[in-house]
Amino acid sequence: GGRNKQSNNEQLERNLRLAGIKVSPAEFTSMKIIAMIVIMVTSTITAFAITREVTVNFLIILCGIIAAVLAPRYFLTSKIKSRQNKIRDDFPEIIDLLSVSMEAGLSFDAAIQKISEKMKGPLVDEFVMLQREIQMGRPRREAFKSLADNSDISELKTFSSAMTQADQLGIPVNNLLKIQAEQLRMDRKQRAQEKGMKAPVKMILPMVVFIFP
């Protein structure tokens, strides 16, 4: 039981990290319980305010219980997805800026510092954390691995792996950044095309339910 609880706390801590929510698992659990109570109480009050029909009251309260259970999970999942999408969208531009800054003579760490002064967002925050860890003496390989793990995004994992290999083999980082930026732009264009192809399919259900009748 204790091991399962520890595993659940570790998973929740990781999800909070992926979502960019800066609270502890215990604090999030407390907020989740409060939100669940508020939703269930609100649904109960609403049920009896609308009608005295037992069946209707039961259905409203049941919907409230389901919403209370699912809402915190949906909130966390949506925050993770939103943050990951933002990182993917910003990635090509930031890699380009890193490349340009290093071509101008800045080191990798100095380039990150320069970008953080001009841009904001979850990816910039991750790079700033990477820079601080390296400055504090953490091996670059471990710092880049942490960068990849903290977002759970394939593009960032590929980037971190490539940067680690470049550091070990002495490959010019600037050349690597140019290749990475080009690949990221191609990936972003492909994702946009895939979303465009899926849009008509997603519109079928609303059209059937609301328009055709």
PDB file of all heavy atoms in Angstrom, residues 107-143:
ATOM      1  N   SER A 107      28.226  32.292 -26.333  1.00  0.00           N
ATOM      2  CA  SER A 107      28.247  30.885 -25.952  1.00  0.00           C
ATOM      3  C   SER A 107      26.810  30.383 -25.848  1.00  0.00           C
ATOM      4  O   SER A 107      25.861  31.179 -25.872  1.00  0.00           O
ATOM      5  CB  SER A 107      28.945  30.710 -24.601  1.00  0.00           C
ATOM      6  OG  SER A 107      28.188  31.327 -23.566  1.00  0.00           O
ATOM      7  N   PHE A 108      26.644  29.071 -25.726  1.00  0.00           N
ATOM      8  CA  PHE A 108      25.308  28.494 -25.610  1.00  0.00           C
ATOM      9  C   PHE A 108      24.582  29.046 -24.388  1.00  0.00           C
ATOM     10  O   PHE A 108      23.423  29.445 -24.474  1.00  0.00           O
ATOM     11  CB  PHE A 108      25.411  26.965 -25.522  1.00  0.00           C
ATOM     12  CG  PHE A 108      24.087  26.265 -25.412  1.00  0.00           C
ATOM     13  CD1 PHE A 108      23.273  26.101 -26.520  1.00  0.00           C
ATOM     14  CD2 PHE A 108      23.637  25.769 -24.187  1.00  0.00           C
ATOM     15  CE1 PHE A 108      22.049  25.458 -26.429  1.00  0.00           C
ATOM     16  CE2 PHE A 108      22.420  25.122 -24.085  1.00  0.00           C
ATOM     17  CZ  PHE A 108      21.628  24.964 -25.200  1.00  0.00           C
ATOM     18  N   ASP A 109      25.276  29.105 -23.249  1.00  0.00           N
ATOM     19  CA  ASP A 109      24.663  29.616 -22.020  1.00  0.00           C
ATOM     20  C   ASP A 109      24.289  31.090 -22.152  1.00  0.00           C
ATOM     21  O   ASP A 109      23.221  31.514 -21.713  1.00  0.00           O
ATOM     22  CB  ASP A 109      25.618  29.426 -20.831  1.00  0.00           C
ATOM     23  CG  ASP A 109      25.835  27.967 -20.501  1.00  0.00           C
ATOM     24  OD1 ASP A 109      25.170  27.110 -21.119  1.00  0.00           O
ATOM     25  OD2 ASP A 109      26.668  27.665 -19.629  1.00  0.00           O
ATOM     26  N   ALA A 110      25.190  31.873 -22.752  1.00  0.00           N
ATOM     27  CA  ALA A 110      24.920  33.306 -22.926  1.00  0.00           C
ATOM     28  C   ALA A 110      23.764  33.530 -23.892  1.00  0.00           C
ATOM     29  O   ALA A 110      22.963  34.463 -23.726  1.00  0.00           O
ATOM     30  CB  ALA A 110      26.169  34.019 -23.433  1.00  0.00           C
ATOM     31  N   ALA A 111      23.658  32.670 -24.913  1.00  0.00           N
ATOM     32  CA  ALA A 111      22.560  32.782 -25.873  1.00  0.00           C
ATOM     33  C   ALA A 111      21.225  32.527 -25.193  1.00  0.00           C
ATOM     34  O   ALA A 111      20.232  33.218 -25.459  1.00  0.00           O
ATOM     35  CB  ALA A 111      22.763  31.798 -27.022  1.00  0.00           C
ATOM     36  N   ILE A 112      21.182  31.533 -24.309  1.00  0.00           N
ATOM     37  CA  ILE A 112      19.955  31.250 -23.556  1.00  0.00           C
ATOM     38  C   ILE A 112      19.577  32.449 -22.696  1.00  0.00           C
ATOM     39  O   ILE A 112      18.407  32.843 -22.626  1.00  0.00           O
ATOM     40  CB  ILE A 112      20.131  29.991 -22.690  1.00  0.00           C
ATOM     41  CG1 ILE A 112      20.238  28.746 -23.572  1.00  0.00           C
ATOM     42  CG2 ILE A 112      18.963  29.843 -21.711  1.00  0.00           C
ATOM     43  CD1 ILE A 112      20.506  27.476 -22.807  1.00  0.00           C
ATOM     44  N   GLN A 113      20.569  33.031 -22.039  1.00  0.00           N
ATOM     45  CA  GLN A 113      20.314  34.205 -21.193  1.00  0.00           C
ATOM     46  C   GLN A 113      19.747  35.354 -22.017  1.00  0.00           C
ATOM     47  O   GLN A 113      18.809  36.044 -21.599  1.00  0.00           O
ATOM     48  CB  GLN A 113      21.616  34.630 -20.510  1.00  0.00           C
ATOM     49  CG  GLN A 113      21.478  35.829 -19.583  1.00  0.00           C
ATOM     50  CD  GLN A 113      20.572  35.558 -18.406  1.00  0.00           C
ATOM     51  OE1 GLN A 113      20.554  34.446 -17.870  1.00  0.00           O
ATOM     52  NE2 GLN A 113      19.797  36.553 -17.994  1.00  0.00           N
ATOM     53  N   LYS A 114      20.290  35.549 -23.214  1.00  0.00           N
ATOM     54  CA  LYS A 114      19.830  36.630 -24.090  1.00  0.00           C
ATOM     55  C   LYS A 114      18.384  36.398 -24.514  1.00  0.00           C
ATOM     56  O   LYS A 114      17.560  37.324 -24.508  1.00  0.00           O
ATOM     57  CB  LYS A 114      20.732  36.692 -25.327  1.00  0.00           C
ATOM     58  CG  LYS A 114      20.592  37.963 -26.138  1.00  0.00           C
ATOM     59  CD  LYS A 114      21.221  39.133 -25.414  1.00  0.00           C
ATOM     60  CE  LYS A 114      21.213  40.385 -26.276  1.00  0.00           C
ATOM     61  NZ  LYS A 114      21.757  41.553 -25.554  1.00  0.00           N
ATOM     62  N   ILE A 115      18.064  35.165 -24.880  1.00  0.00           N
ATOM     63  CA  ILE A 115      16.707  34.836 -25.323  1.00  0.00           C
ATOM     64  C   ILE A 115      15.707  35.004 -24.178  1.00  0.00           C
ATOM     65  O   ILE A 115      14.592  35.499 -24.375  1.00  0.00           O
ATOM     66  CB  ILE A 115      16.671  33.396 -25.872  1.00  0.00           C
ATOM     67  CG1 ILE A 115      17.433  33.319 -27.190  1.00  0.00           C
ATOM     68  CG2 ILE A 115      15.237  32.930 -26.084  1.00  0.00           C
ATOM     69  CD1 ILE A 115      17.621  31.919 -27.706  1.00  0.00           C
ATOM     70  N   SER A 116      16.095  34.603 -22.968  1.00  0.00           N
ATOM     71  CA  SER A 116      15.186  34.698 -21.818  1.00  0.00           C
ATOM     72  C   SER A 116      14.836  36.143 -21.485  1.00  0.00           C
ATOM     73  O   SER A 116      13.807  36.409 -20.858  1.00  0.00           O
ATOM     74  CB  SER A 116      15.803  34.010 -20.598  1.00  0.00           C
ATOM     75  OG  SER A 116      16.934  34.722 -20.132  1.00  0.00           O
ATOM     76  N   GLU A 117      15.688  37.082 -21.894  1.00  0.00           N
ATOM     77  CA  GLU A 117      15.412  38.504 -21.656  1.00  0.00           C
ATOM     78  C   GLU A 117      14.389  39.062 -22.636  1.00  0.00           C
ATOM     79  O   GLU A 117      13.754  40.074 -22.375  1.00  0.00           O
ATOM     80  CB  GLU A 117      16.716  39.311 -21.762  1.00  0.00           C
ATOM     81  CG  GLU A 117      17.733  38.978 -20.669  1.00  0.00           C
ATOM     82  CD  GLU A 117      19.085  39.632 -20.912  1.00  0.00           C
ATOM     83  OE1 GLU A 117      19.217  40.320 -21.963  1.00  0.00           O
ATOM     84  OE2 GLU A 117      19.994  39.462 -20.095  1.00  0.00           O
ATOM     85  N   LYS A 118      14.223  38.364 -23.782  1.00  0.00           N
ATOM     86  CA  LYS A 118      13.339  38.870 -24.832  1.00  0.00           C
ATOM     87  C   LYS A 118      12.065  38.062 -24.990  1.00  0.00           C
ATOM     88  O   LYS A 118      11.080  38.568 -25.523  1.00  0.00           O
ATOM     89  CB  LYS A 118      14.090  38.898 -26.172  1.00  0.00           C
ATOM     90  CG  LYS A 118      15.286  39.829 -26.190  1.00  0.00           C
ATOM     91  CD  LYS A 118      15.956  39.833 -27.557  1.00  0.00           C
ATOM     92  CE  LYS A 118      17.124  40.792 -27.605  1.00  0.00           C
ATOM     93  NZ  LYS A 118      17.781  40.828 -28.941  1.00  0.00           N
ATOM     94  N   MET A 119      12.072  36.800 -24.565  1.00  0.00           N
ATOM     95  CA  MET A 119      10.928  35.924 -24.782  1.00  0.00           C
ATOM     96  C   MET A 119      10.480  35.281 -23.473  1.00  0.00           C
ATOM     97  O   MET A 119      11.261  35.133 -22.537  1.00  0.00           O
ATOM     98  CB  MET A 119      11.272  34.825 -25.798  1.00  0.00           C
ATOM     99  CG  MET A 119      11.583  35.321 -27.186  1.00  0.00           C
ATOM    100  SD  MET A 119      11.892  33.954 -28.332  1.00  0.00           S
ATOM    101  CE  MET A 119      10.269  33.141 -28.348  1.00  0.00           C
ATOM    102  N   LYS A 120       9.219  34.899 -23.444  1.00  0.00           N
ATOM    103  CA  LYS A 120       8.655  34.202 -22.301  1.00  0.00           C
ATOM    104  C   LYS A 120       7.934  32.949 -22.804  1.00  0.00           C
ATOM    105  O   LYS A 120       7.577  32.843 -23.966  1.00  0.00           O
ATOM    106  CB  LYS A 120       7.670  35.102 -21.545  1.00  0.00           C
ATOM    107  CG  LYS A 120       8.273  36.405 -21.026  1.00  0.00           C
ATOM    108  CD  LYS A 120       9.354  36.148 -19.994  1.00  0.00           C
ATOM    109  CE  LYS A 120       9.964  37.470 -19.506  1.00  0.00           C
ATOM    110  NZ  LYS A 120      11.102  37.221 -18.576  1.00  0.00           N
ATOM    111  N   GLY A 121       7.712  32.012 -21.892  1.00  0.00           N
ATOM    112  CA  GLY A 121       6.998  30.802 -22.266  1.00  0.00           C
ATOM    113  C   GLY A 121       7.615  29.588 -21.601  1.00  0.00           C
ATOM    114  O   GLY A 121       8.715  29.653 -21.040  1.00  0.00           O
ATOM    115  N   PRO A 122       6.920  28.456 -21.660  1.00  0.00           N
ATOM    116  CA  PRO A 122       7.400  27.252 -20.980  1.00  0.00           C
ATOM    117  C   PRO A 122       8.734  26.732 -21.506  1.00  0.00           C
ATOM    118  O   PRO A 122       9.557  26.248 -20.737  1.00  0.00           O
ATOM    119  CB  PRO A 122       6.282  26.235 -21.214  1.00  0.00           C
ATOM    120  CG  PRO A 122       5.514  26.744 -22.397  1.00  0.00           C
ATOM    121  CD  PRO A 122       5.617  28.224 -22.312  1.00  0.00           C
ATOM    122  N   LEU A 123       8.973  26.852 -22.820  1.00  0.00           N
ATOM    123  CA  LEU A 123      10.234  26.363 -23.367  1.00  0.00           C
ATOM    124  C   LEU A 123      11.401  27.241 -22.915  1.00  0.00           C
ATOM    125  O   LEU A 123      12.481  26.730 -22.583  1.00  0.00           O
ATOM    126  CB  LEU A 123      10.172  26.308 -24.893  1.00  0.00           C
ATOM    127  CG  LEU A 123      11.425  25.753 -25.586  1.00  0.00           C
ATOM    128  CD1 LEU A 123      11.761  24.360 -25.067  1.00  0.00           C
ATOM    129  CD2 LEU A 123      11.233  25.716 -27.094  1.00  0.00           C
ATOM    130  N   VAL A 124      11.180  28.541 -22.895  1.00  0.00           N
ATOM    131  CA  VAL A 124      12.218  29.452 -22.393  1.00  0.00           C
ATOM    132  C   VAL A 124      12.532  29.131 -20.936  1.00  0.00           C
ATOM    133  O   VAL A 124      13.697  29.090 -20.525  1.00  0.00           O
ATOM    134  CB  VAL A 124      11.778  30.925 -22.541  1.00  0.00           C
ATOM    135  CG1 VAL A 124      12.820  31.856 -21.913  1.00  0.00           C
ATOM    136  CG2 VAL A 124      11.582  31.282 -24.000  1.00  0.00           C
ATOM    137  N   ASP A 125      11.485  28.864 -20.144  1.00  0.00           N
ATOM    138  CA  ASP A 125      11.680  28.506 -18.728  1.00  0.00           C
ATOM    139  C   ASP A 125      12.520  27.231 -18.600  1.00  0.00           C
ATOM    140  O   ASP A 125      13.389  27.134 -17.718  1.00  0.00           O
ATOM    141  CB  ASP A 125      10.331  28.309 -18.044  1.00  0.00           C
ATOM    142  CG  ASP A 125       9.537  29.600 -17.940  1.00  0.00           C
ATOM    143  OD1 ASP A 125      10.141  30.686 -18.059  1.00  0.00           O
ATOM    144  OD2 ASP A 125       8.299  29.518 -17.746  1.00  0.00           O
ATOM    145  N   GLU A 126      12.258  26.260 -19.463  1.00  0.00           N
ATOM    146  CA  GLU A 126      13.010  25.003 -19.424  1.00  0.00           C
ATOM    147  C   GLU A 126      14.477  25.241 -19.773  1.00  0.00           C
ATOM    148  O   GLU A 126      15.372  24.662 -19.139  1.00  0.00           O
ATOM    149  CB  GLU A 126      12.403  23.986 -20.395  1.00  0.00           C
ATOM    150  CG  GLU A 126      11.034  23.471 -19.998  1.00  0.00           C
ATOM    151  CD  GLU A 126      11.067  22.659 -18.707  1.00  0.00           C
ATOM    152  OE1 GLU A 126      12.144  22.167 -18.323  1.00  0.00           O
ATOM    153  OE2 GLU A 126      10.009  22.533 -18.072  1.00  0.00           O
ATOM    154  N   PHE A 127      14.737  26.084 -20.760  1.00  0.00           N
ATOM    155  CA  PHE A 127      16.126  26.366 -21.142  1.00  0.00           C
ATOM    156  C   PHE A 127      16.856  27.151 -20.048  1.00  0.00           C
ATOM    157  O   PHE A 127      18.051  26.938 -19.814  1.00  0.00           O
ATOM    158  CB  PHE A 127      16.168  27.134 -22.459  1.00  0.00           C
ATOM    159  CG  PHE A 127      16.165  26.254 -23.674  1.00  0.00           C
ATOM    160  CD1 PHE A 127      15.135  26.297 -24.597  1.00  0.00           C
ATOM    161  CD2 PHE A 127      17.207  25.366 -23.894  1.00  0.00           C
ATOM    162  CE1 PHE A 127      15.141  25.475 -25.711  1.00  0.00           C
ATOM    163  CE2 PHE A 127      17.226  24.539 -25.007  1.00  0.00           C
ATOM    164  CZ  PHE A 127      16.192  24.597 -25.916  1.00  0.00           C
ATOM    165  N   VAL A 128      16.139  28.059 -19.387  1.00  0.00           N
ATOM    166  CA  VAL A 128      16.746  28.807 -18.279  1.00  0.00           C
ATOM    167  C   VAL A 128      17.112  27.849 -17.140  1.00  0.00           C
ATOM    168  O   VAL A 128      18.184  27.965 -16.533  1.00  0.00           O
ATOM    169  CB  VAL A 128      15.789  29.905 -17.776  1.00  0.00           C
ATOM    170  CG1 VAL A 128      16.298  30.514 -16.462  1.00  0.00           C
ATOM    171  CG2 VAL A 128      15.638  30.998 -18.822  1.00  0.00           C
ATOM    172  N   MET A 129      16.232  26.899 -16.858  1.00  0.00           N
ATOM    173  CA  MET A 129      16.519  25.906 -15.824  1.00  0.00           C
ATOM    174  C   MET A 129      17.725  25.055 -16.227  1.00  0.00           C
ATOM    175  O   MET A 129      18.578  24.729 -15.385  1.00  0.00           O
ATOM    176  CB  MET A 129      15.298  25.017 -15.591  1.00  0.00           C
ATOM    177  CG  MET A 129      15.451  24.055 -14.423  1.00  0.00           C
ATOM    178  SD  MET A 129      13.941  23.116 -14.107  1.00  0.00           S
ATOM    179  CE  MET A 129      12.817  24.431 -13.640  1.00  0.00           C
ATOM    180  N   LEU A 130      17.809  24.691 -17.511  1.00  0.00           N
ATOM    181  CA  LEU A 130      18.955  23.945 -18.016  1.00  0.00           C
ATOM    182  C   LEU A 130      20.247  24.731 -17.787  1.00  0.00           C
ATOM    183  O   LEU A 130      21.251  24.184 -17.297  1.00  0.00           O
ATOM    184  CB  LEU A 130      18.766  23.664 -19.510  1.00  0.00           C
ATOM    185  CG  LEU A 130      19.988  23.136 -20.272  1.00  0.00           C
ATOM    186  CD1 LEU A 130      20.235  21.672 -19.924  1.00  0.00           C
ATOM    187  CD2 LEU A 130      19.784  23.283 -21.780  1.00  0.00           C
ATOM    188  N   GLN A 131      20.200  26.015 -18.116  1.00  0.00           N
ATOM    189  CA  GLN A 131      21.371  26.866 -17.963  1.00  0.00           C
ATOM    190  C   GLN A 131      21.811  26.944 -16.498  1.00  0.00           C
ATOM    191  O   GLN A 131      23.007  26.844 -16.185  1.00  0.00           O
ATOM    192  CB  GLN A 131      21.056  28.271 -18.492  1.00  0.00           C
ATOM    193  CG  GLN A 131      22.182  29.277 -18.310  1.00  0.00           C
ATOM    194  CD  GLN A 131      21.697  30.710 -18.374  1.00  0.00           C
ATOM    195  OE1 GLN A 131      20.526  30.987 -18.124  1.00  0.00           O
ATOM    196  NE2 GLN A 131      22.587  31.619 -18.715  1.00  0.00           N
ATOM    197  N   ARG A 132      20.856  27.099 -15.594  1.00  0.00           N
ATOM    198  CA  ARG A 132      21.180  27.205 -14.165  1.00  0.00           C
ATOM    199  C   ARG A 132      21.784  25.914 -13.638  1.00  0.00           C
ATOM    200  O   ARG A 132      22.729  25.944 -12.838  1.00  0.00           O
ATOM    201  CB  ARG A 132      19.918  27.555 -13.380  1.00  0.00           C
ATOM    202  CG  ARG A 132      19.435  28.990 -13.602  1.00  0.00           C
ATOM    203  CD  ARG A 132      18.109  29.228 -12.924  1.00  0.00           C
ATOM    204  NE  ARG A 132      17.641  30.596 -13.152  1.00  0.00           N
ATOM    205  CZ  ARG A 132      16.410  31.020 -12.846  1.00  0.00           C
ATOM    206  NH1 ARG A 132      15.534  30.186 -12.289  1.00  0.00           N
ATOM    207  NH2 ARG A 132      16.058  32.264 -13.084  1.00  0.00           N
ATOM    208  N   GLU A 133      21.247  24.779 -14.080  1.00  0.00           N
ATOM    209  CA  GLU A 133      21.777  23.492 -13.621  1.00  0.00           C
ATOM    210  C   GLU A 133      23.226  23.310 -14.076  1.00  0.00           C
ATOM    211  O   GLU A 133      24.063  22.826 -13.313  1.00  0.00           O
ATOM    212  CB  GLU A 133      20.907  22.349 -14.152  1.00  0.00           C
ATOM    213  CG  GLU A 133      19.547  22.248 -13.472  1.00  0.00           C
ATOM    214  CD  GLU A 133      18.742  21.067 -13.972  1.00  0.00           C
ATOM    215  OE1 GLU A 133      19.122  20.474 -15.001  1.00  0.00           O
ATOM    216  OE2 GLU A 133      17.729  20.733 -13.340  1.00  0.00           O
ATOM    217  N   ILE A 134      23.523  23.710 -15.315  1.00  0.00           N
ATOM    218  CA  ILE A 134      24.890  23.597 -15.831  1.00  0.00           C
ATOM    219  C   ILE A 134      25.819  24.531 -15.064  1.00  0.00           C
ATOM    220  O   ILE A 134      26.942  24.166 -14.700  1.00  0.00           O
ATOM    221  CB  ILE A 134      24.924  23.898 -17.340  1.00  0.00           C
ATOM    222  CG1 ILE A 134      24.167  22.804 -18.115  1.00  0.00           C
ATOM    223  CG2 ILE A 134      26.364  24.004 -17.843  1.00  0.00           C
ATOM    224  CD1 ILE A 134      24.014  23.099 -19.591  1.00  0.00           C
ATOM    225  N   GLN A 135      25.338  25.757 -14.780  1.00  0.00           N
ATOM    226  CA  GLN A 135      26.151  26.716 -14.037  1.00  0.00           C
ATOM    227  C   GLN A 135      26.432  26.241 -12.610  1.00  0.00           C
ATOM    228  O   GLN A 135      27.478  26.565 -12.035  1.00  0.00           O
ATOM    229  CB  GLN A 135      25.455  28.082 -14.004  1.00  0.00           C
ATOM    230  CG  GLN A 135      25.464  28.812 -15.340  1.00  0.00           C
ATOM    231  CD  GLN A 135      24.710  30.121 -15.301  1.00  0.00           C
ATOM    232  OE1 GLN A 135      23.902  30.370 -14.393  1.00  0.00           O
ATOM    233  NE2 GLN A 135      24.956  30.981 -16.276  1.00  0.00           N
ATOM    234  N   MET A 136      25.491  25.472 -12.042  1.00  0.00           N
ATOM    235  CA  MET A 136      25.668  24.961 -10.684  1.00  0.00           C
ATOM    236  C   MET A 136      26.567  23.722 -10.644  1.00  0.00           C
ATOM    237  O   MET A 136      26.795  23.152  -9.576  1.00  0.00           O
ATOM    238  CB  MET A 136      24.304  24.642 -10.070  1.00  0.00           C
ATOM    239  CG  MET A 136      23.460  25.876  -9.791  1.00  0.00           C
ATOM    240  SD  MET A 136      21.761  25.467  -9.268  1.00  0.00           S
ATOM    241  CE  MET A 136      22.079  24.615  -7.726  1.00  0.00           C
ATOM    242  N   GLY A 137      27.060  23.290 -11.810  1.00  0.00           N
ATOM    243  CA  GLY A 137      28.013  22.200 -11.848  1.00  0.00           C
ATOM    244  C   GLY A 137      27.447  20.849 -12.248  1.00  0.00           C
ATOM    245  O   GLY A 137      28.172  19.849 -12.238  1.00  0.00           O
ATOM    246  N   ARG A 138      26.164  20.806 -12.610  1.00  0.00           N
ATOM    247  CA  ARG A 138      25.605  19.531 -13.043  1.00  0.00           C
ATOM    248  C   ARG A 138      26.172  19.160 -14.406  1.00  0.00           C
ATOM    249  O   ARG A 138      26.246  20.021 -15.294  1.00  0.00           O
ATOM    250  CB  ARG A 138      24.084  19.614 -13.119  1.00  0.00           C
ATOM    251  CG  ARG A 138      23.401  18.262 -13.360  1.00  0.00           C
ATOM    252  CD  ARG A 138      21.906  18.363 -13.282  1.00  0.00           C
ATOM    253  NE  ARG A 138      21.283  17.050 -13.364  1.00  0.00           N
ATOM    254  CZ  ARG A 138      19.974  16.839 -13.373  1.00  0.00           C
ATOM    255  NH1 ARG A 138      19.138  17.872 -13.284  1.00  0.00           N
ATOM    256  NH2 ARG A 138      19.484  15.607 -13.438  1.00  0.00           N
ATOM    257  N   PRO A 139      26.572  17.907 -14.620  1.00  0.00           N
ATOM    258  CA  PRO A 139      27.091  17.502 -15.937  1.00  0.00           C
ATOM    259  C   PRO A 139      26.092  17.818 -17.040  1.00  0.00           C
ATOM    260  O   PRO A 139      24.883  17.641 -16.871  1.00  0.00           O
ATOM    261  CB  PRO A 139      27.286  15.987 -15.775  1.00  0.00           C
ATOM    262  CG  PRO A 139      27.484  15.787 -14.308  1.00  0.00           C
ATOM    263  CD  PRO A 139      26.622  16.802 -13.641  1.00  0.00           C
ATOM    264  N   ARG A 140      26.604  18.287 -18.176  1.00  0.00           N
ATOM    265  CA  ARG A 140      25.734  18.706 -19.280  1.00  0.00           C
ATOM    266  C   ARG A 140      24.851  17.556 -19.746  1.00  0.00           C
ATOM    267  O   ARG A 140      23.692  17.765 -20.100  1.00  0.00           O
ATOM    268  CB  ARG A 140      26.579  19.228 -20.439  1.00  0.00           C
ATOM    269  CG  ARG A 140      27.371  20.478 -20.109  1.00  0.00           C
ATOM    270  CD  ARG A 140      28.176  20.959 -21.290  1.00  0.00           C
ATOM    271  NE  ARG A 140      27.341  21.641 -22.251  1.00  0.00           N
ATOM    272  CZ  ARG A 140      27.082  22.956 -22.229  1.00  0.00           C
ATOM    273  NH1 ARG A 140      27.598  23.717 -21.280  1.00  0.00           N
ATOM    274  NH2 ARG A 140      26.331  23.507 -23.157  1.00  0.00           N
ATOM    275  N   ARG A 141      25.389  16.344 -19.753  1.00  0.00           N
ATOM    276  CA  ARG A 141      24.612  15.188 -20.186  1.00  0.00           C
ATOM    277  C   ARG A 141      23.381  14.998 -19.302  1.00  0.00           C
ATOM    278  O   ARG A 141      22.269  14.776 -19.796  1.00  0.00           O
ATOM    279  CB  ARG A 141      25.488  13.940 -20.159  1.00  0.00           C
ATOM    280  CG  ARG A 141      24.771  12.678 -20.612  1.00  0.00           C
ATOM    281  CD  ARG A 141      25.729  11.505 -20.641  1.00  0.00           C
ATOM    282  NE  ARG A 141      25.061  10.304 -21.132  1.00  0.00           N
ATOM    283  CZ  ARG A 141      25.676   9.135 -21.303  1.00  0.00           C
ATOM    284  NH1 ARG A 141      26.966   9.024 -21.032  1.00  0.00           N
ATOM    285  NH2 ARG A 141      24.997   8.096 -21.756  1.00  0.00           N
ATOM    286  N   GLU A 142      23.567  15.102 -17.980  1.00  0.00           N
ATOM    287  CA  GLU A 142      22.441  14.944 -17.051  1.00  0.00           C
ATOM    288  C   GLU A 142      21.462  16.104 -17.174  1.00  0.00           C
ATOM    289  O   GLU A 142      20.249  15.919 -17.076  1.00  0.00           O
ATOM    290  CB  GLU A 142      22.954  14.844 -15.619  1.00  0.00           C
ATOM    291  CG  GLU A 142      23.761  13.586 -15.334  1.00  0.00           C
ATOM    292  CD  GLU A 142      24.219  13.517 -13.895  1.00  0.00           C
ATOM    293  OE1 GLU A 142      23.754  14.363 -13.092  1.00  0.00           O
ATOM    294  OE2 GLU A 142      25.034  12.640 -13.565  1.00  0.00           O
ATOM    295  N   ALA A 143      21.989  17.311 -17.376  1.00  0.00           N
ATOM    296  CA  ALA A 143      21.127  18.491 -17.498  1.00  0.00           C
ATOM    297  C   ALA A 143      20.245  18.394 -18.733  1.00  0.00           C
ATOM    298  O   ALA A 143      19.046  18.706 -18.696  1.00  0.00           O
ATOM    299  CB  ALA A 143      21.975  19.756 -17.549  1.00  0.00           C
TER     300      ALA A 143
END
